[in-house]
C-alpha cells in the first residue's frame, strides 16, 4: 500500500468539496435527520466557504491518498483561524475524515501525526480538537493517540443543538 499526503491548493476546491460531503455524510448521516444534514452540508461545505478556508494562511488542508486514490483529508488551524477559543499556544485539528472504505488502515493515525508535526514546527504546546459526544469510535481513537477530554462546547447540526467533547494533547 502506497500512502501519499499532499497539501491542498485552490485547484483542489471541488475535490475537497466532494470528499467533505461524502465523508461527513457517511460519518453522521445515519444519526441526524436528512434536513439537518442537508442544512449543515450546504453551510459548511459550499464552494465559497471552502475557498475562503483554503485561502486563509492560518488554515491548511491535506489530502491523504492510498494507492493513488483519495482516501481522506485533514484540516488544521492556528491563531485566529481556530473554530473556538480553547487554547492559546495550540493547533486545532478541525476536520479529520477518512473515506469509509479506507478506515482501519492507519490513515487517520498518519493525519493526526501530520497535525502534531505541524504543531511542533510552529512551536505550539498543544493540539486540540472537538469530537461529537456520540462518535464513540473517534473518541476511542483520539484517546489512543494521547488526547484527553478537557471540556465541551455546543454546535448546531441544522436546527439541532449538539455537543462536542474538547480533547487536548499536550506536546
Amino acid at each position: 500500500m502506497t500512502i501519499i499526503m499532499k497539501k491542498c491548493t485552490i485547484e483542489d476546491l471541488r475535490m475537497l468539496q466532494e470528499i467533505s460531503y461524502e465523508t461527513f455524510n457517511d460519518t453522521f448521516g445515519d444519526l441526524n435527520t436528512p434536513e439537518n444534514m442537508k442544512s449543515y452540508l450546504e453551510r459548511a461545505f459550499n464552494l465559497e466557504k471552502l475557498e475562503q478556508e483554503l485561502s486563509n494562511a492560518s488554515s491548511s488542508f491535506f489530502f491523504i491518498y492510498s494507492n493513488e486514490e483519495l482516501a481522506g483529508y485533514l484540516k488544521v488551524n492556528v491563531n485566529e483561524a481556530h473554530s473556538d477559543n480553547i487554547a492559546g499556544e495550540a493547533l486545532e485539528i478541525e476536520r479529520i475524515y477518512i473515506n469509509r472504505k479506507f478506515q482501519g488502515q492507519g490513515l487517520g493515525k498518519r493525519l493526526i501525526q501530520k497535525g502534531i508535526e505541524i504543531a511542533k514546527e510552529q512551536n505550539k504546546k498543544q493540539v486540540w480538537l472537538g469530537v461529537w459526544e456520540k462518535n464513540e469510535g473517534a473518541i476511542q481513537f483520539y484517546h489512543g493517540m494521547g488526547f484527553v477530554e478537557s471540556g465541551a462546547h455546543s454546535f448546531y447540526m441544522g436546527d439541532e443543538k449538539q455537543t462536542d467533547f474538547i480533547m487536548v494533547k499536550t506536546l
Side-chain angles (χ1 to χ4, degrees):
M1 176 170 66
T2 304
I3 306 299
I4 297 172
M5 210 172 301
K6 172 187 166 276
K7 187 171 184 179
C8 298
T9 68
I10 201 70
E11 287 78 29
D12 299 314
L13 180 62
R14 292 207 181 271
M15 204 163 37
L16 177 61
Q17 183 186 45
E18 287 174 24
I19 195 157
S20 296
Y21 269 87
E22 179 182 351
T23 56
F24 195 89
N25 197 49
D26 282 351
T27 304
F28 303 113
D30 293 342
L31 302 169
N32 292 281
T33 67
E35 298 80 18
N36 283 342
M37 285 296 294
K38 183 177 189 295
S39 173
Y40 184 85
L41 290 169
E42 288 174 355
R43 181 173 46 90
F45 302 125
N46 67 68
L47 289 176
E48 183 179 318
K49 176 131 173 37
L50 289 174
E51 184 174 0
Q52 289 172 352
E53 292 177 357
L54 276 168
S55 300
N56 186 335
S58 294
S59 294
S60 298
F61 287 85
F62 297 87
F63 284 154
I64 191 163
Y65 294 85
S66 177
N67 295 328
E68 299 181 17
E69 190 174 348
L70 181 58
Y73 76 101
L74 168 74
K75 179 187 181 199
V76 297
N77 298 319
V78 294
N79 306 325
E80 77 285 343
H82 282 236
S83 64
D84 202 342
N85 189 16
I86 301 297
E89 288 300 313
L91 175 135
E92 175 190 14
I93 295 177
E94 184 180 359
R95 297 184 200 135
I96 179 170
Y97 290 102
I98 301 294
N99 182 298
R100 189 173 279 163
K101 82 178 206 180
F102 295 100
Q103 290 179 358
Q105 298 180 16
L107 302 179
K109 183 176 182 179
R110 288 188 185 220
L111 290 175
I112 290 285
Q113 290 168 334
K114 179 67 172 176
I116 291 168
E117 174 187 313
I118 295 166
K120 288 179 177 178
E121 287 170 359
Q122 296 187 18
N123 296 313
K124 302 298 181 188
K125 295 178 178 20
Q126 296 176 313
V127 175
W128 75 272
L129 53 83
V131 57
W132 189 29
E133 65 184 342
K134 294 182 181 177
N135 194 346
E136 295 172 7
I139 293 167
Q140 286 181 328
F141 169 72
Y142 298 134
H143 278 299
M145 294 297 298
F147 287 79
V148 295
E149 292 173 32
S150 69
H153 67 183
S154 297
F155 71 98
Y156 281 87
M157 175 67 70
D159 62 3
E160 182 183 344
K161 185 176 181 180
Q162 298 184 355
T163 301
D164 265 357
F165 292 141
I166 303 302
M167 299 186 74
V168 177
K169 179 179 178 78
T170 300
L171 304 177

